[in-house]
Amino acid sequence: MTKMKILTVCIVILMVSVFSGMRADTSASGLQKEMFLFKFGSFGKKNGKFKNPTDIATDSTSNMYVADSKNNRIQVFDSSGSFLRTFGFFGSKKGEFYFPFSVAVDSADNVCVADTYNHRIQIFDSSGVFIRQFGSFGSSNSEFYYPQGVATDSENNIYVADTYNNRIQVFRSSGDLMRTFGSSGKEKGKFDKPTSVAIDSLGNIYIADTFNHRIQVFDSAGRFLREFGSQGAGNGDFYYPFGIATDSTGTVYVADTYNYRIQVFDSAGKFLRKFGTSGTGNGQFNYPQGITTDGTGKVYVADSNNNRIQVFEVKAVCVATAMTSSPPELTLDRKESDTVTILVTGEDGCLAANDVVKAKVDKSGRSLIKILPKNKTANKEGEAVFKIKARNKTGSTTITFTDGSLETTLTVTVVE
């Protein structure tokens, strides 16, 4: 038998108006965005270090369980990423692992592990004490051929992506088989190396059909509902998607592994947004494989080839659609200084905090005034404040302020 190779493998608005001084509603927003919170881990064998972490799950207290695959163990961390404990090591006995690829935690905080090269599922309590196992190598019911994905539902049933048998098997928490669905192929309801499973609040089953470069969705009985995605690098396309997760709102997160990004969809498969690029910086990925969410708006990514876990928070952000200048025009005596405030707001009245506003003086006016700074980040009230200093000449000029495609202008006159 040949062992598999697991693939680690605006609206444009030009506006000059008087800022009334009223504050917009900071709770309003037109967009959600995953913001980087923190990361932990690096390459190695010691506690808190990883060798190709491939999946992550959280329990009821937001502790994190990481499938540290090439170290043949599960590592447990608290909600801040501090190491708590580890269990398992290389082997085939109870409680031992041979490339554990996936991990899930049920409502009782029991830990389910896809012990991939041992062709079985192992279940532990939250302390890492072995409870039971089921499965062995084969293609009959309740047998596995390199199972790479595991998930649980609200009733603690266990869903296994039986990867090289190209099917999904569903078990009770006891390990008794309930049903199986899927076979090898490219047609709807068939699979080519499914590697990850997620269950939404309605009991629908989302499958990362990895080598078919798509997501397939089934009802709780395993009946095909829909599919989305195809091979490519555009929005909504996939290139070997290895991980999938859903949150309490029905939002779907896909680890688009070979495109080095996470893509976000609604429950119907409509593309919403994406985050991440190839690299080692914060928010960048090197073959992200495992992904999960919790009830607090956090998204956890097993950044496999960077040997780390990255944690993001879903936050409402303001998409800037308007800029206003206060005052709308300014008169200065020679060598006098004053300030101008640029307010950046969104279509729904939100405040575009952290947007960068750039200022540029007309070429003819550079001998009249000086503006500092040239670029300013808007504060939490959506304001970017600039200082304007008149030189020892008189005349009028225009300052242009921009935020992406948005623009507003300020006329400055210098008098005797």
Side-chain angles (χ1 to χ4, degrees):
M1 179 181 65
T2 301
K3 295 178 181 177
M4 72 162 181
K5 180 181 180 182
I6 294 183
L7 293 178
T8 310
V9 202
C10 286
I11 300 170
V12 176
I13 297 179
L14 178 60
M15 179 184 293
V16 180
S17 65
V18 178
F19 172 36
S20 66
M22 296 177 63
R23 290 289 180 255
D25 179 6
T26 59
S27 65
S29 176
L31 183 69
Q32 287 188 318
K33 185 177 181 180
E34 287 69 27
M35 308 295 290
F36 173 82
L37 282 182
F38 65 91
K39 63 186 177 184
F40 61 94
S42 58
F43 179 80
K45 295 183 178 181
K46 294 182 179 180
N47 290 342
K49 294 182 179 294
F50 303 115
K51 290 179 69 176
N52 190 215
T54 50
D55 202 12
I56 183 169
T58 60
D59 66 14
S60 60
T61 61
S62 295
N63 291 326
M64 293 174 272
Y65 298 75
V66 179
D68 187 12
S69 297
K70 287 186 178 179
N71 279 326
N72 298 295
R73 64 186 178 184
I74 303 298
Q75 293 200 69
V76 189
F77 302 82
D78 68 15
S79 59
S80 65
S82 297
F83 174 82
L84 294 177
R85 58 187 171 274
T86 184
F87 58 93
F89 48 85
F90 177 75
S92 59
K93 296 179 181 179
K94 295 177 181 179
E96 298 176 344
F97 301 116
Y98 188 10
F99 210 101
F101 199 89
S102 183
V103 61
V105 179
D106 68 17
S107 62
D109 284 344
N110 292 319
V111 184
C112 306
V113 180
D115 187 11
T116 302
Y117 277 21
N118 280 325
H119 311 284
R120 66 183 177 182
I121 302 299
Q122 295 198 69
I123 303 175
F124 303 81
D125 68 16
S126 59
S127 297
V129 176
F130 175 84
I131 297 176
R132 70 179 67 89
Q133 66 177 14
F134 58 91
S136 59
F137 174 74
S139 58
S140 297
N141 288 345
S142 300
E143 295 180 334
F144 302 115
Y145 188 13
Y146 296 114
Q148 290 189 40
V150 65
T152 61
D153 64 16
S154 60
E155 297 180 352
N156 294 335
N157 297 317
I158 301 169
Y159 299 73
V160 180
D162 188 8
T163 304
Y164 273 64
N165 279 324
N166 292 298
R167 65 185 178 182
I168 305 300
Q169 296 198 69
V170 187
F171 302 84
R172 293 183 176 88
S173 59
S174 62
D176 296 326
L177 180 69
M178 297 175 65
R179 70 184 68 90
T180 181
F181 61 93
S183 59
S184 179
K186 297 182 180 297
E187 297 87 356
K188 294 177 180 179
K190 295 187 177 184
F191 303 112
D192 189 356
K193 310 300 184 299
T195 57
S196 186
V197 190
I199 316 300
D200 70 13
S201 59
L202 300 176
N204 294 319
I205 307 164
Y206 292 75
I207 309 298
D209 187 10
T210 303
F211 279 55
N212 279 327
H213 310 282
R214 66 183 175 184
I215 303 301
Q216 294 200 68
V217 188
F218 301 81
D219 68 13
S220 59
R223 292 183 291 256
F224 175 84
L225 295 177
R226 57 188 171 274
E227 65 179 346
F228 56 94
S230 58
Q231 184 172 354
N235 293 342
D237 294 334
F238 302 114
Y239 191 26
Y240 296 107
F242 267 79
I244 191 166
T246 63
D247 67 13
S248 59
T249 69
T251 302
V252 181
Y253 292 82
V254 180
D256 188 9
T257 304
Y258 276 52
N259 280 324
Y260 308 98
R261 64 185 179 182
I262 307 300
Q263 293 201 71
V264 188
F265 302 83
D266 68 14
S267 59
K270 177 184 176 182
F271 173 82
L272 298 177
R273 57 190 178 272
K274 62 187 176 183
F275 61 98
T277 57
S278 176
T280 60
N282 294 342
Q284 295 183 315
F285 302 112
N286 190 1
Y287 296 107
Q289 296 197 51
I291 189 166
T292 194
T293 65
D294 65 14
T296 68
K298 293 185 178 64
V299 180
Y300 306 78
V301 180
D303 187 9
S304 296
N305 279 19
N306 278 328
N307 295 292
R308 65 185 180 183
I309 301 299
Q310 294 199 68
V311 183
F312 301 81
E313 186 173 17
V314 182
K315 289 187 175 182
V317 296
C318 185
V319 180
T321 58
M323 300 173 66
T324 57
S325 171
S326 176
E329 57 185 39
L330 184 64
T331 300
L332 297 172
D333 292 335
R334 289 187 301 168
K335 295 187 177 181
E336 183 185 9
S337 297
D338 204 346
T339 60
V340 60
T341 299
I342 305 300
L343 178 67
V344 189
T345 58
E347 190 174 33
D348 51 8
C350 62
L351 303 173
N354 299 317
D355 274 32
V356 177
V357 179
K358 299 180 180 181
K360 183 177 181 179
V361 181
D362 284 354
K363 185 175 182 180
S364 61
R366 293 173 189 171
S367 62
L368 290 176
I369 61 171
K370 181 178 181 180
I371 186 167
L372 292 172
K374 296 295 176 63
N375 302 325
K376 182 75 173 184
T377 300
N379 60 25
K380 63 181 181 180
E381 295 179 331
E383 297 174 342
V385 181
F386 295 86
K387 182 178 181 180
I388 300 172
K389 183 177 182 179
R391 301 183 190 274
N392 196 26
K393 290 181 65 177
T394 61
S396 294
T397 189
T398 299
I399 304 173
T400 301
F401 298 93
T402 58
D403 177 5
S405 62
L406 297 177
E407 180 179 305
T408 190
T409 58
L410 171 72
T411 299
V412 180
T413 302
V414 182
V415 298
E416 291 287 350

